Amino acid sequence: MNSEIVIPAVLFMGGLGAFLAGVIAFANRKLAVVEDPRIDQVEQMLPGSNCGACGNPGCRAFAEALVGGTENPAKCTISSAGVKLQIASHLGVELGDTEKRVARLACAGGAHVARQRTRYTGMESCRAAALVAGGGKGCYWGCLGLKDCGVVCNFGAISFSENGLPSVDLDKCTACGDCVEICPKQLFSIQPVSRQLWVNCKNIEAGDAAEAECAVACIACGKCAMDASGGLVSMKNNLPVIDYALNDFATPSIIARCPTGAIIWINEKNQFETGQAAKRVIRTKALPIG
Amino acid sequence: MRTFPHGIHPDDAKILTAGKPVRRFPFAPYYVVHLAQNAGTPARSIVQAGQQVRRGQVIALPDGFVSVPVHAPVTGLVKLVGNSLDSNGNPTPSIVIIPDPASCQDVEVSSSVNVDELTPEQIVQAIRDMGMVGLGGAAFPTHVKLSPPKGKSIQAIILNGAECEPYLTSDHRVMLEQSANIVLGAKLLLRAAKATDLVIAIEDNKPDAIAVMRKACENEANIRVEVFKTKYPQGAEKMLTKAMFGKEVPSGGIPADIGIMISNIATAAEIGRLLPVGMGLIERVVTITGDGIKKPGNYLIPIGTPLDFILSTLGTHGTPYKVIFGGPMMGKSVSFLESPVTKGTSGIVVLASRDEQERVIYPCIRCGACVNACPVHLIPARLGLMARKGEYDRMVSECNLMDCFECGCCSYVCPSNIPLVQQFRISKQIARERKASGKSNG
């Protein structure tokens, strides 16, 4: 082997390697970004689903906020109580208390009570149906039952009754708000579970006009507003509006005289109770189209 | 021959009505006049229930700049000023008028205008006062188009007589029967826009209309007729601009950005017909067609005529399977038959039976047919995959979703029956909602 070629080459490459290693070693010292190791540790404990329900853009950002002390562990809607306690004790901070919030639907008009005026045969999507012809449901504001919310839910929290109405599983719902965004009729909203008095209708028609399209529509009779104490319920746009700042005054008696069951009481078991005066819905099959 | 790259050639079915002269439609028992007939701000009603109105009288005034007045389509009694259902079933503010059976339904022409003496500003004002909107379907107020933003001017006008939508023939008939009105309207538009060049664009499947229009503007120096290849969507404003002047409307822009104004040919015809006599827009030519209707044809229909009256007057073969306002490609299915004809209704297509087989959606096979069809050079296949994943922000920022004008070519050619344009309409809607609420991170 020709040592005149090999030795200078080895020396040159070795020297270059040593020089670059020196640069890297220098950069590692001087340009290092000191990151709190607890951020990584906390991120490991978080669920990693990046749902955004805490208000941060993903779990990493939430972990940074936790370590920085601007958020408290209770804000995470997915982690179990045990994990949240673990994070709190790991960081030595208060657990904080954030009430559980869930997605609530404001429509009870399944196919067995609400009239479908026209048959929709296009792409299976509420958004598509709403864009084509409003969806063809008699009630313009009602749930179209084409399951966009169920498709978009990453946690499998939304299931559908046989009449196409979504129902939310409280244990699985993380209040991320994806269903709120996708619903073309804006029927979903994120609500604390303590809000048990709930208006289950968005139809702004009144009286017979509302009831003709849906048996459980609010007919704007105003009885709930009369029965509620001190401004808790007021009538706006033919619908009761609940002032949740006065939620402490809410009682099941407010819904007692509602003739259609449009205003409901959600009990501790997440069952929807209608008042005694509400008409009973006996029909279970879908109404004929037309 | 002038055309644009890409596009499709659907069966146009124009033979049903192309040979049928425009006929006046009988008066309906009631009229529903929507206040929101134009793109932009709805008009504001100035009549009350119980009031007598005269055919042609102004019953609603514009509310803002992008708004036009509404005129009474019939002489009669105002029964209701309030909400009635539009074709989606959405309550919309409207005026319901019961026609007076004893009235001869003549329009009292109060003043005749000497059109040669009008200044450009007066012409724009007169066009606004007649409640004129684009009669092609979008119903954008014409006076707004004639008032380009500061720093921009209109050099050329294209009168759109391409009528590339299948089934529709109303513009075709208007060109055959009202060529003098069109030329007068064209001259008025030229003067109003202070432009010097006006092109009447006609597709080559209407040779009779080309001949009539060529003859009508023989002696006009600034007006010429240009023939375009028959292809969908030739009549879209961006396609016409590209085919005529070889210039593209910038992404997210309007034709006025490159000094061009595009107006439907029927708009020019109505301006030429109504402006000299000072009348308002109270009726329009509508093509009523499809295999579900017994007497298809082109009809001069008062605005506000309810759809169910039209269907019962012309007769249907059984219960229609589908009724569409506009053409089958870009029109809108109607779910409420009580809804009325509006200023933007260019056609009513009534289909008797399902004209397509039950469509099974297969996966994308990357054939590229949609890429070859898209007239604005998007990649529908890629957009479709992103839409399924819900990546709406990326669709807008990386793939120019907002340039899609929903012509439907991609869905038409897709061998896997993927509902592409449907997904894009949803994606555009969600992207717009996110932008409005400031939640967009794209």
Side-chain angles (χ1 to χ4, degrees), chain A residues 117-118 121 123 125 127-128 130-134 136-138 140-141 181-182 205, chain B residues 88-91 321 332-333 335-336 338 354 419 422-423 425-426 429-430 433-434:
Chain A
R117 297 262 306 232
T118 33
T121 54
M123 179 185 173
S125 155
R127 280 269 177 178
L131 275 168
V132 169
K137 195 167 180 159
Y140 181 75
W141 304 270
E181 184 186 40
I182 200 75
E205 302 272 4
Chain B
N88 277 355
N90 185 14
Y321 163 72
K332 219 165 170 313
S333 295
S335 59
F336 285 75
E338 296 86 342
R354 202 182 167 91
Q422 291 88 333
Q423 289 174 343
R425 292 182 71 187
I426 297 170
Q429 190 186 41
I430 294 176
E433 283 170 12
R434 283 190 181 172

Side-chain angles (χ1 to χ4, degrees), chain A residues 117, chain B residues 25 28-30 32 305-316 323 325 334 336-341 348:
Chain A
R117 297 262 306 232
Chain B
F25 205 78
Y30 68 99
V32 183
T305 306
L307 188 54
D308 47 5
F309 174 75
I310 293 173
L311 295 183
S312 62
T313 306
L314 297 178
T316 54
V323 182
F325 270 156
V334 179
F336 285 75
L337 296 182
E338 296 86 342
S339 56
V341 167
I348 299 169

